[in-house]
Amino acid sequence: MKVQCVLGPPGTGKSTYLVGVLRDLTSNGYALNDITFVSHTNAAANEILSRLQLPRADKVCTLHALCFRLQEMNAASVVSHRALAQFEEIVNVPISGRKAEDDGQEVGDMYLDVINFARNKMIGYDEAYYVSDRPGTYVQFEYFHQSYERWKESIWVIDYTDMLDKYIQNPVSDNSRVLIIDEAQDLSNLQWAVVDKLIEAGNHELVIIAGDDDQSIYIWGGADFDGMRKFSDKYGAEVKVLDQSYRIPKCVHTLSQNLINRVSNRFPKVYRPRSEEGVINMYGDFEYMEFDDINTMVLARTHRLIHDMESTLIEKNIAYRKHGGRPGMLENRYATAIRAMNRVMRGEEPTKNQLETFNKVCRYQYYDLDNISGKMYHEVLSIPESMVNYYGNVDVETEPKVSLSTIHAAKGKESDRVVVSTEMTPRIAESFAKSPDEEIRAFYVAVTRAKHRLDIINSGGFDITGDGHGY
């Protein structure tokens, strides 16, 4: 069995390389069903399918989905949001469904994170609790955890971590000649154990793991940032570094390498930037930023910090898209209702969704759309007063040049211009004090999204430049 470790620093075309590997294999007699291609997220798996021009493939999926299929599990047996709401009532502990990177998590969300962290790291629940933010008390957490396990058993449901556990308990072959693990830097100890079992149960001729340990930013989810190196050592993997970035200009590359070299334990790798010099600007506050016709990605560490910058964009009447969290001004129901009015005034038929949304937010139930000619949006729709000015100045039909995102949600994306806020919430600052490497990797991911221009909002938060201005 040949084992290869592919290291793909930012912008070096890891996905393109892996698609090339898949095409070479299929052109050399391998059927697609001979290849298992596993990625950390559905989005990454779908990207591979898109590049191969395939609608779907059972063996191109997430590791959880692969375990689910190999164990022939039933979709109806997976914990749903509705079922979790019922559990919330049973234990009388609030659960919002928010992720660890978000602000505003409820105690139940934190407890579930601790449970999954312990299982993914394969450590004791008490150890996981005491390295967490310690929500409630350990006695309360233990009650929640035991109740959660009993509840799952009582209604015959499993969660996503159970899918991995059940495969480890009963490993079966994936019946593939090739196993490819993408985004391997995000795998937890439990997921690496699944990979070991897949290899033991299978008869693979080639195993490839691909990723970049420098971009391992899901530590709170149990990711083992050192997993790729340990796997490579265990199986004697041939290490291949994709050494040319097609995204990052020189100045951004220099800054990013100075940043990532602060990490204590990493795979040593050298790769080259593009020939363009690029631009880096420093700002003291987001309010001083100007936006023109260049595609711009605005990044912050949490959704709460994104919300603060969103308020500034709204005040300045700047069109933007928002990724994750609550819908932005062009994705919410008011924008949808305005688009319904626009279509009618153009002599077009609104979509079903637009019409339903219009009826929900119009001032009068079932307002006659035929009589809206010449009327302003706020005369017909119950738009909050704080939003009226924005919708009067911004075209909801436009495709915004500005996007808002957390750093985690921006992973794998790129933009001509990237704006990075260095601000950290008290919770993130506390996490940084405990484990600086995790935050270094997060901001490394942020700055390496920039193709031409990087703007840093140096607000006394994380010290990206290393000049001492920050925590």
Side-chain angles (χ1 to χ4, degrees), residues 4-8 14 17-18 180-185 208-212 228:
Q4 186 180 55
C5 172
V6 178
L7 297 173
K14 176 175 60 66
Y17 174 83
L18 293 177
I180 301 175
I181 309 293
D182 192 16
E183 299 296 328
Q185 78 278 345
I208 299 175
I209 63 168
D212 180 14
M228 293 183 70

Side-chain angles (χ1 to χ4, degrees), residues 103 300-309 423-425:
D103 289 308
R301 187 62 182 80
T302 68
H303 283 296
R304 199 210 77 182
L305 298 176
I306 284 292
H307 176 74
D308 294 342
M309 293 191 289
E423 188 174 355
M424 295 194 289
T425 62

Side-chain angles (χ1 to χ4, degrees), residues 44 90 107 110 139 144 146 158 212 219 227 252 287 312 336 423 454:
I90 292 172
V107 172
M110 297 180 188
V139 172
F144 181 95
Q146 292 174 352
I158 60 172
D212 180 14
I219 307 301
V252 174
E287 291 186 1
T312 299
T336 301
E423 188 174 355
L454 173 64

Side-chain angles (χ1 to χ4, degrees), residues 340-342 344-345 358 367-376 380:
M341 290 182 62
N342 288 346
V344 169
M345 286 188 276
F358 173 86
Y367 195 96
D368 187 358
L369 277 167
D370 294 331
N371 296 323
I372 65 172
S373 179
K375 295 187 180 295
M376 302 296 291
V380 177

Side-chain angles (χ1 to χ4, degrees), residues 283-320:
Y283 293 84
D285 196 294
F286 186 67
E287 291 186 1
Y288 303 143
M289 305 290 301
E290 294 183 357
F291 296 91
D292 46 30
D293 203 35
I294 184 174
N295 288 322
T296 301
M297 182 187 297
V298 179
L299 303 178
R301 187 62 182 80
T302 68
H303 283 296
R304 199 210 77 182
L305 298 176
I306 284 292
H307 176 74
D308 294 342
M309 293 191 289
E310 181 180 16
S311 297
T312 299
L313 294 178
I314 293 172
E315 289 174 8
K316 293 185 175 183
N317 294 320
I318 294 173
Y320 67 94

